[in-house]
């Protein structure tokens, strides 16, 4: 039997531990998961092989970023290349006190993000239809996040200017995170990013940890 003929994998169901982990944000995140299951593949936001793994590979992966953003803190967050809403929508659900700006260049993805924000009633989110490099120089944020946007060097070049002095860059990366960080040493230095650290966060539904590259902007 070919891969194309193989029966689709059953969709993951959030465990009780996952529900507890998300706490009061769970209902919104679950609604977001439902929207992705219903329209994500059709609208080219997520591949069919990824749909059954929404919780382990995507939602929990994104949620790890929120662990580096204080609760009940009046902070500004910019999510570069939000796409389907990873990790920006998840962060906005988990950190309602934060002001989250989703930056996305593709019009159809911007339309999707507006629908998600309206459906989830996220009043702490703004959506900017632009490339990160097109934002004015005065646009600065306490935290800048990203996922699957570019390699570390390019990501620093297109998003580090958005990080305010003393703020942080948080990039979700895969198994080659250490290699990407090493290759981007000059880019970090040129952008004034210091204290570069790779964090490995336990994933409640996957043996593979979530890797987050954190870097602080000099004041």
């Amino acid at each position: 039997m070919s891969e194309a003929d193989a029966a689709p994998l059953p969709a993951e169901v959030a465990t009780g531990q996952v529900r507890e982990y998300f706490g009061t944000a769970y209902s919104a995140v679950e609604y977001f998961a439902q929207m992705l299951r219903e329209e994500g593949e059709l609208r080219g936001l997520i591949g069919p092989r990824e749909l059954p793994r929404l919780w382990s590979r995507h939602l929990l992966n994104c949620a790890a970023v929120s662990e580096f953003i204080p609760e009940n803190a009046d902070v500004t967050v910019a999510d570069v290349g939000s796409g389907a809403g990873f990790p920006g929508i998840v962060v906005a659900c988990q950190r309602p006190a934060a002001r989250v700006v989703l930056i996305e260049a593709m019009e159809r993805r911007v339309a999707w993000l507006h629908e998600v924000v309206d459906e989830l009633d996220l009043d702490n989110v703004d959506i900017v239809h632009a490339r990160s490099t097109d934002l004015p120089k005065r646009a600065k944020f306490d935290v800048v996040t990203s996922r699957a946007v570019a390699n570390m060097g390019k990501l620093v070049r297109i998003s580090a200017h958005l990080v305010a002095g003393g703020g942080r860059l948080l990039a979700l990366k895969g198994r080659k995170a250490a290699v990407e960080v090493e290759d981007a040493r000059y880019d970090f230095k040129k952008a004034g990013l210091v204290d570069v650290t790779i964090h490995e966060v336990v994933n409640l539904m996957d043996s593979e940890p979530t890797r987050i590259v954190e870097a602080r902007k000099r004041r």
Side-chain angles (χ1 to χ4, degrees):
M1 184 169 61
S2 69
E3 185 176 343
D5 296 328
L9 294 171
E12 290 176 332
V13 176
T15 64
Q17 194 176 15
V18 169
R19 290 169 179 259
E20 184 178 352
Y21 171 76
F22 279 105
T24 57
Y26 175 75
S27 60
V29 175
E30 203 286 325
Y31 197 149
F32 179 40
Q34 180 182 329
M35 292 183 71
L36 286 166
R37 284 192 295 267
E38 292 175 352
E39 298 190 59
E41 180 184 358
L42 180 66
R43 297 172 69 159
L45 298 162
I46 189 168
R49 295 175 64 182
E50 294 302 306
L51 281 172
R53 306 185 290 187
L54 268 178
W55 287 101
S56 60
R57 292 295 185 91
H58 299 282
L59 300 174
L60 283 166
N61 181 261
C62 292
V65 172
S66 298
E67 296 188 18
F68 298 87
I69 301 172
E71 292 187 60
N72 303 317
D74 183 19
V75 299
T76 55
V77 180
D79 186 40
V80 173
S82 290
F86 301 141
I89 291 293
V90 179
V91 170
C93 292
Q94 291 186 283
R95 296 293 181 262
R99 192 77 214 166
V100 181
V101 178
L102 309 179
I103 303 169
E104 174 56 50
M106 293 186 65
E107 186 172 356
R108 62 182 176 84
R109 292 177 179 172
V110 169
W112 161 260
L113 292 171
H114 276 292
E115 290 176 31
V116 172
V117 168
D118 289 343
E119 285 290 324
L120 300 185
D121 196 23
L122 295 173
D123 59 6
N124 63 329
V125 176
D126 293 312
I127 300 168
V128 176
H129 182 193
R131 297 182 183 276
S132 58
T133 50
D134 293 333
L135 268 67
K137 291 183 178 180
R138 66 178 181 278
K140 301 293 180 185
F141 302 86
D142 301 311
V143 179
V144 175
T145 63
S146 65
R147 181 178 189 258
V149 172
N151 64 52
M152 200 71 241
K154 181 177 180 180
L155 181 63
V156 168
R157 293 193 295 273
I158 66 173
S159 63
H161 64 285
L162 297 174
V163 185
R168 290 173 296 154
L169 178 75
L170 297 173
L172 282 157
K173 285 294 176 180
R175 294 179 179 180
K176 295 183 179 179
V179 175
E180 288 195 36
V181 167
E182 178 63 22
D183 290 344
R185 283 188 304 170
Y186 174 74
D187 298 293
F188 282 116
K189 183 177 180 180
K190 186 176 180 181
L193 292 170
V194 296
D195 301 333
V196 182
T197 306
I198 301 173
H199 301 280
E200 291 194 352
V201 180
V202 173
N203 187 317
L204 295 176
M205 293 181 68
D206 196 334
S207 59
E208 184 77 11
T210 296
R211 295 174 180 83
I212 296 175
V213 176
E214 178 184 24
R216 180 178 57 83
K217 188 73 167 285
R218 288 196 186 98
R219 291 188 181 275

